[in-house]
Every structure is written in structure tokens, then in C-alpha cells.
Amino acid sequence: MHGIDRFAHGAKRLTFAAATVFVALGFFVTLKALVQNEQGIASGLLELGRSAPERLALFGMAAAALVGTGVFLFRLRSSVRFVVGLFCFALAIRLIWVASVPTTPVSDFEFMFNMAVKAARGDFSFTEAPYYVRWTYQLPFTLYEALVIKLFGAHPLPLKVLNAFWQSALAGIVYALGRALFGDRAGRAAGLVYALYPSTISTVSVLTNQHPADFFFYLAFCFFLCDLRLRERPRAIATGLALALGELFRPYGPLVLPVIAFFGLFRAAFVWLSSERSASEKRFWPALRKAVIPLETTAWVLIVFWLVTSAAGLALNAAGVTPYSLKSHDPYWKFVVGLNPASSGQYAEEDLRRFADLPTLQAQLEVEKALVLKRLLDVDALLPLFWRKFCILWGSPDATFWWNHGVHRPALEAALKAAERAAFLFVTASAFVGLVLGMRRQDGRGPWPDGRMLLLWIVLGYAAVHLVIEIQVRYRYFALPTLSILAGAGLVTVTRALRRAGEPSARRGGSCGETGYAGKTHPEQSVKER
């Protein structure tokens, strides 16, 4: 085995091991909080069972109906019918939620909605407000809301309906990625897990930029990793365009782009060092051309991303909407909040008041920078802070009912919180199985750095970054599609093992098959993974 092969094998195993530890810790902190009733979920369910048993039974029947429909869709023979059915199923659930749980925007969402109403009327004076001067990157999402308001009126309902479409389409993308990385059945399970995950349903009522941003970023991953019968350059251009559109809604780019760039370099190095080449031109130049392909693809992704985001900013400048570039002009604020031990890295009025009397943004930046350095150097407080933040971000119940202002339904809130925490336990346990299997089985791809590594690097980097920046429970939603994909792989593996265990030994087939781990066994399930 070449040295690069050993290195690539080691990198793959290290990636899977780190991801396994991550999901295991997520499972542990969630289970610990539930057992100790830290969040009052168990007592809330007990109270609901005593005071309104008929409602609890109704929620149980609804859950059973949803799972039954999911099983029916999973068994459809045609992949096209499954995708259409998955989208319609996910959309119907979310539209029912929107119609039956009316909400009003709150906090930043209310502010941006009100500014979008102004923009729809042609008034862009709000762009000089401190909020948009500091965080100008929020402007494209506000203008997106303004366009919807211009077309359908100044009401949150059309935006919620669009959120339902973004989330339902994302379920289809989760299926496509799961199919490419682990096989068709695993992809189907992943799409259904994501479509039925409670938070992805309830948050469509929240006017957050996460909905379109998550859709476009995962669409980019789909272009980059799946075989969509596109040549390298069109595939790279489509990836860069999708990443840029996602970035305009929510700036995940500073995390995602370096990972994609490193992934491209890693692939190029692997191709170059593992190829047979000698001093003769016959072998040298073909090897070099093969190694350049991943670099060229990555370069096109980054170039298109830069061109589109830059053009969007220049267009808004030229139109007189804002004189500022589309970025955060207060880059230290997220770190100020995230490194505050007193608030466990969550938003705190104390930090806001600390800078209220400073005359200029530049003066505030200087004080913020000094405060961030001071908090980083306080090592004794740093490690306990990291653990508390991890427990909050990955172990706390969904905060939908806080963001869904105007809704007072204690029974629904208790049931939803319990369902979401149970779903998270289920997803992390299934993902753990998928990751352990991914470490233990060599699936025919050898040491080649495949798409599973890219998604895991992004999610692990996302979790690591949130150890030092501000956290909110809803920030974990970005990782849910990847966790659903891993859960789909684990679920199909477990069900296949259980089915095989119940068969007579003479009827048992080979050890490979439907999970996609050990190769493609059916032409309809064959999806070339890039």
C-alpha cells in the first residue's frame, strides 16, 4: 500500500471516529437531560397524560399515521414516485402546521419583516439603521422577504408557505445525497427521517434565513458529490452558484469554502501521489492531468462563488440600496457573546449594555477585540464553557414555541418537545450505527476521499466553530440533513441485519447489499459517487 493510501485510510478512519464521538456525545447529553428531567419534558408529558389523555392519544395516533405513510412511501418501487411522494408528503405536513398554528414574528425576525415591508414600498432608509450597518449580510434576506411581500401582500403567511417548500425540497436533496453516499434504500430512509423530524416541521413558522440558506448549501453539496450526468466544469459552476445563493441568505461560506478547498487539494494530492508515473512523458502528463481535475473543479467553485456574491453586493451599491459591502462589519460580536461564561455563550443583554455608550463602531470593535482575547486566555473558564455550550446546542429541547410568538398551547408544546427529543435520540443512535459500520467496512472505494468525508468535515467544523461563537438551539438545524443521511445508513443496516437473522441460513445472501457500503448490487440503485 502506498504511503498516500495509508494516509488517506487514516484520515477517513479519523474522520469517522471523530463523527462517531460527536453523535455519541449528542445522544448522551440528550438522554442525561431527559432522565434527570432537567428540561421538565417528562413531567410535562405526565401532566398532559393526567389532564388531557385524549389529546395525548390524538398526538400518538397522528404520529403513527405519519410513520405509516412514511413506510408506504419507502416501499414504492419507482425512485421517481418516491421523490414526488416524499416532497408532497413533507409539504402537506408543513402546510397543515402553518394553517393550524398561526404565529407572529418575534425578535430579529419581526424587525426584518417590518423592514421588508418598507423595502416593498420603495423605502430603503432602514439600511442606515445600526442593525444593517453592522450586519449588512442580513440585507439580501430582507430584500427576499420584500419581494414576497410585494407579490403577495404584507403578511407572514406567504413566507411561511415558502419555508414549507424550501424544507420539503431539502428532504428530496437529503434523499439524493443519501442515495449517492450509501445506496438507494439508505437515501429513502434519510429523506423520510428528515421530512418527519419535528423541528423541520415546526420551524417553517419561523421567518429565519436558515430555510433558503440550508436548501441552497445542501443543493451545492448535491451538485458537488452526486452524479447528475454533468461534466466537471458545469457541475463546478452549478455548485458555486448554489453556494453563492446560500451565502447571500446566510453566511456559512467562511466554514464551508475552506473545507471544500481542502477537500479538492486532498483529492488532487491523492490522485497525483497514488498514480503510476515516471520520467517518461507517456505516464507523467496523464497523471498530471488527472491530478489537475479536482483542482480545476474546486477553483471553478470558488471563482463562481466570488463572482456571484461580489456582483450582488456591487449591484446593491450601484442601485443605492446600501453603501456597505454584504458582510459583518462587527466580526467580533459573535465571539464576544459565544465566549461569555455567564450566559453560556448565548445572547446576553449584559454584553449589549457594555458597548452602548461607545461613540463609534470602531471604538466598539477595539473593546470587543480586547474582551475576546481576555476571555480566550481564561483557560480555567474556557473548557467548562465549551462543555456547557455543547450540552445546550445539542442536548436542549427545540425552542420553536419561543420563536413562534403568539401561540399558547401547552399540550402541543409538551408533545412537540418530547417528540423532538425522542427523534434526536433516534437519529443520533441510528447515525452512530451508520458511522461505526462506515469505519469497520471497506466498501469498495478504498482510501479514495469520498463525499462522506466532506459532509462530516463540514458538520464537525460547524460544531467546533460553535464552541467559540454565539449559540442558539435552532443553529443545530444546519447539521440535521447530514445526521439524517447517517441515520438512514444506520437504519437500513440494522433492518437488513434483523431481516437476515430471521431467515434460514440457506436463504441468506451475501454480506453486501442494500446499504451501499459494499458496492452496488442493483442497477437501479447504482449512483456513481464523486
Side-chain angles (χ1 to χ4, degrees):
M1 182 183 284
H2 294 296
I4 185 63
D5 289 354
R6 288 194 294 269
F7 176 78
H9 266 300
K12 183 177 284 190
R13 288 183 177 276
L14 182 61
T15 299
F16 276 90
T20 303
V21 171
F22 166 67
V23 297
L25 285 176
F27 180 89
F28 169 76
V29 297
T30 301
L31 184 62
K32 175 177 174 289
L34 286 174
V35 170
Q36 296 179 354
N37 197 30
E38 293 176 2
Q39 297 132 359
I41 293 177
S43 56
L45 274 181
L46 289 173
E47 178 59 30
L48 177 60
R50 284 195 296 266
S51 61
E54 69 286 349
R55 291 188 180 181
L56 192 60
L58 184 62
F59 292 141
M61 291 170 61
L66 291 176
V67 172
T69 306
V71 171
F72 169 78
L73 290 173
F74 183 85
R75 292 178 175 176
L76 290 175
R77 285 183 171 272
S78 167
S79 295
V80 174
R81 288 182 180 178
F82 172 77
V83 171
V84 173
L86 176 66
F87 176 80
C88 294
F89 178 50
L91 182 62
I93 298 170
R94 284 152 180 79
L95 291 180
I96 290 171
W97 171 271
V98 168
S100 58
V101 186
T103 63
T104 55
V106 65
S107 188
D108 290 7
F109 307 131
E110 180 183 18
F111 175 76
M112 284 192 285
F113 179 80
N114 291 335
M115 297 307 102
V117 172
K118 287 188 175 182
R121 296 169 181 164
D123 178 7
F124 296 101
S125 60
F126 67 89
T127 58
E128 291 296 333
Y131 185 89
Y132 287 101
V133 172
R134 281 179 164 80
W135 301 294
T136 316
Y137 66 84
Q138 297 281 23
L139 185 56
F141 178 68
T142 305
L143 296 178
Y144 154 77
E145 289 189 314
L147 176 62
V148 176
I149 290 169
K150 184 78 173 177
L151 293 173
F152 301 105
H155 193 281
L157 182 61
L159 290 164
K160 295 177 185 179
V161 171
L162 279 174
N163 288 346
F165 274 90
W166 294 124
Q167 285 286 347
S168 303
L170 182 51
I173 292 173
V174 169
Y175 159 71
L177 282 167
R179 175 176 173 170
L181 300 178
F182 295 106
D184 185 73
R185 291 173 67 83
R188 292 185 179 212
L192 288 167
V193 166
Y194 186 79
L196 290 171
Y197 194 88
S199 293
T200 67
I201 299 170
S202 59
T203 52
V204 296
S205 296
V206 182
L207 304 186
T208 171
N209 55 14
Q210 290 173 268
H211 299 298
D214 290 359
F215 168 81
F216 280 114
F217 271 96
Y218 275 91
L219 179 64
F221 303 154
C222 190
F223 283 133
F224 196 65
L225 300 176
C226 300
D227 180 16
L228 302 176
R229 303 188 186 280
L230 293 173
R231 293 182 178 273
E232 291 296 325
R233 187 173 296 177
R235 185 167 64 88
I237 292 172
T239 301
L241 178 60
L243 286 174
L245 291 173
E247 179 75 3
L248 291 174
F249 283 108
R250 189 173 181 87
Y252 293 132
L255 166 68
V256 172
L257 291 182
V259 174
I260 288 179
F262 179 75
F263 186 71
L265 289 172
F266 190 32
R267 279 187 162 184
F270 179 85
V271 171
W272 173 250
L273 294 174
S274 62
S275 61
E276 294 185 8
R277 58 190 189 280
S278 63
S280 68
E281 291 189 9
K282 280 188 176 181
R283 291 189 176 181
F284 178 81
W285 292 111
L288 182 60
R289 280 195 294 270
K290 286 182 180 179
V292 165
I293 290 174
L295 293 178
E296 182 185 2
T297 300
T298 305
W300 274 106
V301 170
L302 300 179
I303 289 169
V304 171
F305 175 89
W306 179 79
L307 287 174
V308 173
T309 52
S310 299
L314 291 173
L316 292 178
N317 295 156
V321 175
T322 179
Y324 308 106
S325 56
L326 298 179
K327 65 177 185 180
S328 173
H329 298 276
D330 190 0
Y332 301 118
W333 175 250
K334 288 283 186 181
F335 295 93
V336 168
V337 176
L339 293 170
N340 185 352
S343 66
S344 296
Q346 300 177 92
Y347 175 79
E349 290 288 339
E350 165 203 343
D351 282 324
L352 194 62
R353 288 193 298 267
R354 190 189 298 268
F355 308 107
D357 297 330
L358 295 177
T360 64
L361 177 59
Q362 189 58 40
Q364 179 175 329
L365 291 176
E366 292 298 323
V367 177
E368 285 180 358
K369 183 178 179 180
L371 183 58
V372 168
L373 290 174
K374 177 184 176 183
R375 288 176 173 175
L376 281 173
L377 293 173
D378 188 2
V379 180
D380 291 337
L382 211 55
L383 293 180
L385 171 65
F386 288 168
W387 176 245
R388 291 200 306 275
K389 291 182 69 177
F390 184 91
C391 293
I392 292 171
L393 183 57
W394 305 103
S396 293
D398 184 60
T400 297
F401 271 81
W402 192 92
W403 295 109
N404 283 335
H405 187 64
V407 178
H408 183 67
R409 297 186 181 179
L412 181 59
E413 181 175 3
L416 186 65
K417 280 186 175 182
E420 192 276 331
R421 287 293 78 195
F424 191 77
L425 286 174
F426 176 78
V427 167
T428 49
S430 303
F432 180 85
V433 174
L435 285 165
V436 169
L437 230 46
M439 283 192 294
R440 295 185 61 184
R441 296 195 179 196
Q442 296 304 313
D443 56 355
R445 301 169 189 175
W448 171 249
D450 57 63
R452 297 171 300 171
M453 292 179 67
L454 177 66
L455 286 184
L456 291 178
W457 285 350
I458 289 172
V459 168
L460 290 172
Y462 186 79
V465 164
H466 281 85
L467 294 177
V468 293
I469 67 172
E470 178 193 3
I471 60 167
Q472 293 180 26
V473 173
R474 65 185 176 89
Y475 290 172
R476 68 172 171 240
Y477 300 159
F478 180 72
L480 286 178
T482 298
L483 291 176
S484 298
I485 292 168
L486 295 173
L491 279 172
V492 171
T493 302
V494 170
T495 54
R496 179 180 57 83
L498 292 174
R499 187 171 62 248
R500 283 171 49 81
E503 293 176 356
S505 58
R507 295 179 57 192
R508 292 178 187 175
S511 61
C512 307
E514 293 162 337
T515 64
Y517 275 117
K520 283 85 176 182
T521 60
H522 194 284
E524 289 184 2
Q525 297 177 8
S526 177
V527 180
K528 181 181 176 185
E529 192 280 319
R530 294 183 179 270

